[in-house]
Amino acid sequence: MNEILIGRAVSRIDGPAKATGSARYAAEFTLPGMVHAVLVQAPFAAGRVDRLDIDAARSMPGVLAVLRHDQRVRYFGQTVAVVVADSHERATAAAFAVRVQGDAAAPVADMHHALAAATTPDEMRGGADTSRGDLAAGLADAHARIHATYDTPMEFHNPMEPHATLAAWDAGRLTVWTSTQGIFNAQATLAAAFDLAPETVRVICPFVGGGFGSKGRCWPPVILAAHAAREVGRPVRLVLTRAQMYMNNGHRPQTIQNLSLGCAGDGRLTALRHDGFSQMSDPSLGQFTEGFAIATRTLYSCPAVVTGHKTVPTSFSLPTYMRAPGEASGMFALESAIDEMAAASRLDPIAFRIANYADHDENDNKPFASKALLQCYREGAARFGWARRRAAPRALRDGHVLIGMGMASATYPTQRQPSHARVALFADGGVLVQCGTQDLGTGTYTIMMQMAAQTLGAPADKVRVELGDSILPRSGVSGGSTTAASVMPAVLQAAQAVRTRAFGLALAHQGATWQGVQPETMTLRDGIIASPRGTISLVEVMRSSRHARIEVDTAAALAPDAAKFSRHAFGAQFAEVRIDEDFGTIRVSRYTGVFGVGQLLNAKTGRSQLIGGIVYGFGMALLEAARPDPHTAQIMNANLSEYLVPVNADVPEIDVQTIDDPDMATGPLGLKGIGELPIVGVAGAIANAVFNATGKRVRSLPIRIEDVL
Ligand code: MOS
């Protein structure tokens, strides 16, 4: 049984179902009488639809309905109609036959030209603007200072699984199978859209093929599927094409970030300013700000820090959370600027960071709940072989290939949401664990199994896990790297309560024989309850007490002292790049990441998450960018054929190491989120390595061949 204990390298229990194809994803569910919906999209980015010619589409074979409403267009590809037909192919053909004519206006296709329209967002973690100390004095007194602007592009999530929904109505009740990071979020959004009580909407999502933030909100296509199903009186499936995923589900907004740093002769920061602009859609679509300067408030010790965020309305769809929103894009800029400042101070980048280490949160004036950053620097430097790096650029080469090394810090907040869980123990030793959470592919099923199995002494194959259904106990959105830290305390609490009840029944059953036995001295393993006075089988205890199951439903409350601490996870990223001097090709040749991850629940799935985050960091650094047409605001590379993401050939062996630094302020298990931490800092480490290799400081992502030639 030991092989499934918390912390061990346990394989995903849903692995066989996924490998054999029996795991069903949203687009794979079917219902009798099911029909298909396809979106019709605006062929311009701004203006108004004047004429929507649907006659041809409506008379095509198999077409059941063409739903439309004339409207203002705010981005290219905005949905203006939905075609429903008896097959996906017929619906697609009819959607192409719908003619959309409009009064196209000039779109805002480049945020650089719209900065005058920028406004300060009112909903942001910790506020849009912060200021402490005297920035002007800190800069004026500095021994060395730098000012620089960094740019990050619009990026798209591109989960493997497309967004898909099957919606069915039955006597005023709505059931929706959809790929989502938050079943209760989807339930609430659908209930509001159709003016229903939330409990009349059921959302089912047993598997998610990646989300990366794009499935955090319940986007319009989900609502349109439900609307179409109600209109035609049949279940409707709506699956987005890959290209449509560049118009309907948010993206990481483009940013323009300004950094000013000053430091004293000993390398201590005297002033730090980080502000700039985050691209937004037309404000009528919602609000989102990439919080790029949030991490800057706490990461380093500095007496004068000013941060600020403004949003710029453009003719693109509403941006959203994507892979460490804010931290990933902001830390590219900050960690590049820190590297520039270290070079200006003639200090080693790690020594510079250690000189500016923050031993408490100077923004909130709170102690850190736990922080392993210094260990991450040291351990990472040793594993990576940082000592072999040459301070001067262009000092290491292998023939015509320049070799550079760079590093960066990583940080991501530790957050937790309230969660319920239900655990049931059966007389045969079987265990059922239920929680209305989601498994994005990261291993939620598996860690839930581990926790219940460990607490109730059951082998893995005796534990059944159910999640991804809004009839299960309520839990939160799987976003902000919160799932494990939110769900696992609830599972632990429910399983412990079940065990306590089983012990109580055993004591009652044994009567005088076990009188005076303290429950803390009792154990449950493989269906046997043991005490210092002997053993009794669970089967016998439950039969005699007439229990078919022992079941407990609990809510795990947030830790009361959590707010007294600043709670973050930290890490250190190390990259080696090899750049061909003649061709400018940039390869990451070696990589080490060391992360303080709190209590690690599963060494195998945890390691996979860390490696996955780093790989997406490679994409951010070197490949990923949406390329809008400057005249039409159409995204010209809206598909995986032209929007580049890393593939195996782009990725060397990645060395990851974890450091246990349990955060006991957040919850009883010491957990921190690890989903997003590992992407943070990767682009900075790679940019710094590119500088070390070439002497060229690239301040705009992704770093391209033409930047280093
Ligand atoms: Mo994550 S970008 O918070 O889904």
Side-chain angles (χ1 to χ4, degrees):
M1 200 207 69
N2 278 347
E3 69 276 7
I4 56 162
L5 288 180
I6 288 298
R8 295 290 171 88
V10 182
S11 294
R12 282 178 176 74
I13 56 173
D14 48 332
K18 288 180 172 173
T20 58
S22 65
R24 280 208 285 173
Y25 291 83
E28 298 176 315
F29 287 93
T30 56
L31 285 174
M34 180 181 85
V35 294
H36 302 262
V38 169
L39 305 177
V40 178
Q41 300 172 287
F44 50 88
R48 181 167 283 280
V49 174
D50 303 324
R51 222 170 95 76
L52 203 56
D53 186 354
I54 62 170
D55 294 344
R58 211 154 39 183
S59 62
M60 286 171 71
V63 173
L64 299 166
V66 181
L67 314 172
R68 59 170 172 161
H69 88 103
D70 295 345
Q71 57 188 319
R72 224 186 104 200
V73 172
R74 297 173 175 89
Y75 57 93
F76 195 102
Q78 180 180 322
T79 299
V80 293
V82 180
V83 176
V84 187
D86 60 1
S87 77
H88 180 71
E89 292 72 18
R90 285 171 151 180
T92 302
F96 276 115
V98 174
R99 271 199 299 281
V100 185
Q101 286 172 17
D103 180 16
V108 181
D110 185 343
M111 73 184 284
H112 289 88
H113 300 150
L115 298 183
T119 57
T120 300
D122 44 48
E123 290 168 27
M124 267 197 72
R125 255 191 288 160
D129 300 324
T130 64
S131 177
R132 67 172 190 261
D134 187 338
L135 186 83
L139 283 171
D141 297 347
H143 170 79
R145 58 188 77 78
I146 63 146
H147 302 282
T149 298
Y150 302 83
D151 292 274
T152 65
M154 212 190 302
E155 297 170 358
F156 283 80
H157 308 79
N158 279 298
M160 285 291 277
E161 182 205 14
H163 294 254
T165 302
L166 168 61
W169 292 85
D170 180 17
R173 301 178 75 87
L174 173 63
T175 303
V176 161
W177 289 258
T178 192
S179 185
T180 178
Q181 292 175 230
I183 51 176
F184 287 99
N185 214 16
Q187 181 192 54
T189 304
L190 288 162
F194 294 99
D195 199 18
L196 298 168
E199 56 277 12
T200 61
V201 179
R202 181 175 176 189
V203 178
I204 301 172
C205 177
F207 298 101
V208 183
F212 312 113
S214 69
K215 296 169 182 171
R217 288 162 170 255
C218 178
W219 295 91
V222 182
I223 297 166
L224 289 171
H227 176 62
R230 194 169 61 172
E231 289 298 309
V232 301
R234 291 168 73 168
V236 166
R237 177 195 282 171
L238 194 163
V239 183
L240 297 190
T241 64
R242 178 64 58 181
Q244 285 172 336
M245 286 163 63
Y246 289 74
M247 299 149 189
N248 288 287
N249 303 95
H251 57 270
R252 192 199 297 279
Q254 186 180 4
T255 71
I256 301 168
Q257 304 175 46
N258 304 307
L259 268 294
S260 298
L261 283 71
C263 75
D266 61 359
R268 300 280 302 268
L269 288 166
T270 56
L272 178 51
R273 174 183 73 113
H274 189 175
D275 60 25
F277 303 92
S278 174
Q279 169 225 23
M280 245 296 283
S281 64
D282 183 296
S284 66
L285 298 174
Q287 190 179 31
F288 180 79
T289 311
E290 182 84 358
F292 48 76
I294 293 175
T296 303
R297 298 167 184 169
T298 50
L299 185 57
Y300 295 110
S301 175
C302 181
V305 178
V306 171
T307 69
H309 302 82
K310 284 187 160 38
T311 55
V312 183
T314 63
S315 303
F316 295 100
S317 59
L318 181 65
T320 194
Y321 323 96
M322 176 169 158
R323 301 184 197 130
E327 278 75 11
S329 48
M331 288 281 284
F332 158 66
L334 177 64
E335 291 299 279
S336 296
I338 288 283
D339 202 71
E340 296 192 49
M341 194 76 256
S345 311
R346 301 189 176 283
L347 274 172
D348 173 83
I350 298 179
F352 185 86
R353 285 172 174 82
I354 292 174
N356 291 291
Y357 178 80
D359 61 6
H360 70 285
D361 181 335
E362 296 179 2
N363 187 57
D364 290 339
N365 203 20
K366 288 176 183 175
F368 289 111
S370 73
K371 183 172 181 179
L373 183 56
L374 291 174
Q375 276 165 278
C376 292
Y377 290 150
R378 293 192 182 112
E379 177 84 17
R383 294 178 76 92
F384 181 76
W386 184 251
R388 294 204 302 272
R389 176 184 180 268
R390 305 280 180 77
R394 305 180 66 86
L396 267 184
R397 61 164 65 230
D398 175 6
H400 60 111
V401 174
L402 296 165
I403 301 172
M405 301 184 201
M407 58 82 57
S409 306
T411 182
Y412 194 78
T414 300
Q415 301 168 101
R416 185 183 159 195
Q417 305 174 67
S419 180
H420 295 245
R422 187 186 300 135
V423 172
L425 175 65
F426 300 87
D428 67 355
V431 176
L432 174 64
V433 195
Q434 297 174 310
C435 178
T437 183
Q438 321 48 231
D439 188 335
L440 303 194
T442 48
T444 312
Y445 277 107
T446 308
I447 56 173
M448 285 172 67
M449 176 281 286
Q450 287 177 271
M451 182 56 74
Q454 174 166 310
T455 311
L456 296 170
D461 60 3
K462 285 283 217 179
V463 181
R464 192 151 55 91
V465 179
E466 290 180 357
L467 54 74
D469 190 329
S470 61
I471 63 171
L472 297 173
R474 175 176 284 270
S475 193
V477 171
S478 290
S481 303
T482 57
T483 306
S486 306
V487 169
M488 295 298 276
V491 173
L492 173 67
Q493 201 171 303
Q496 283 176 333
V498 164
R499 192 177 60 189
T500 299
R501 283 201 201 165
F503 290 167
L505 294 174
L507 287 170
H509 178 271
Q510 296 296 74
T513 335
W514 282 20
Q515 184 152 24
V517 167
Q518 297 301 310
E520 307 80 69
T521 66
M522 299 170 73
T523 60
L524 169 60
R525 175 168 291 200
D526 295 327
I528 303 292
I529 296 171
S531 87
R533 305 267 175 81
T535 62
I536 173 99
S537 81
L538 184 65
V539 174
E540 200 176 331
V541 167
M542 289 181 69
R543 193 195 304 122
S544 72
S545 65
R546 297 174 187 284
H547 275 77
R549 62 162 74 184
I550 304 170
E551 183 178 291
V552 174
D553 207 321
T554 54
L558 299 185
D561 284 347
K564 294 182 185 160
F565 294 90
S566 180
R567 298 172 296 120
H568 301 264
F570 296 93
Q573 311 271 16
F574 293 82
E576 180 191 88
V577 297
R578 297 174 72 95
I579 300 175
D580 186 303
E581 235 192 328
D582 301 325
F583 296 106
T585 46
I586 307 167
R587 311 292 302 176
V588 180
S589 45
R590 292 195 303 122
Y591 203 91
T592 294
V594 181
F595 305 98
V597 293
Q599 174 67 48
L600 189 63
L601 292 167
N602 182 323
K604 190 171 187 177
T605 56
R607 180 182 140 79
S608 291
Q609 274 190 276
L610 296 172
I611 290 173
I614 291 168
V615 169
Y616 273 119
F618 289 11
M620 184 176 192
L622 299 172
L623 299 165
E624 292 188 58
R627 301 289 182 199
D629 180 301
H631 304 292
T632 64
Q634 178 181 10
I635 291 166
M636 301 310 291
N637 58 341
N639 218 319
L640 282 174
S641 51
E642 286 155 312
Y643 181 98
L644 304 180
V645 295
V647 297
N648 282 341
D650 297 311
V651 182
E653 181 81 22
I654 292 176
D655 172 42
V656 294
Q657 172 70 30
T658 58
I659 290 171
D660 282 352
D661 59 339
D663 172 352
M664 304 311 292
T666 300
L669 290 160
L671 306 181
K672 295 184 176 188
I674 60 173
E676 292 168 279
L677 175 69
I679 190 177
V680 180
V682 178
I686 291 174
N688 296 340
V690 167
F691 175 76
N692 184 243
T694 64
K696 292 191 171 117
R697 176 58 63 180
V698 185
R699 300 191 183 90
S700 179
L701 292 182
I703 301 170
R704 302 159 308 163
I705 286 172
E706 47 270 51
D707 293 320
V708 297
L709 280 177

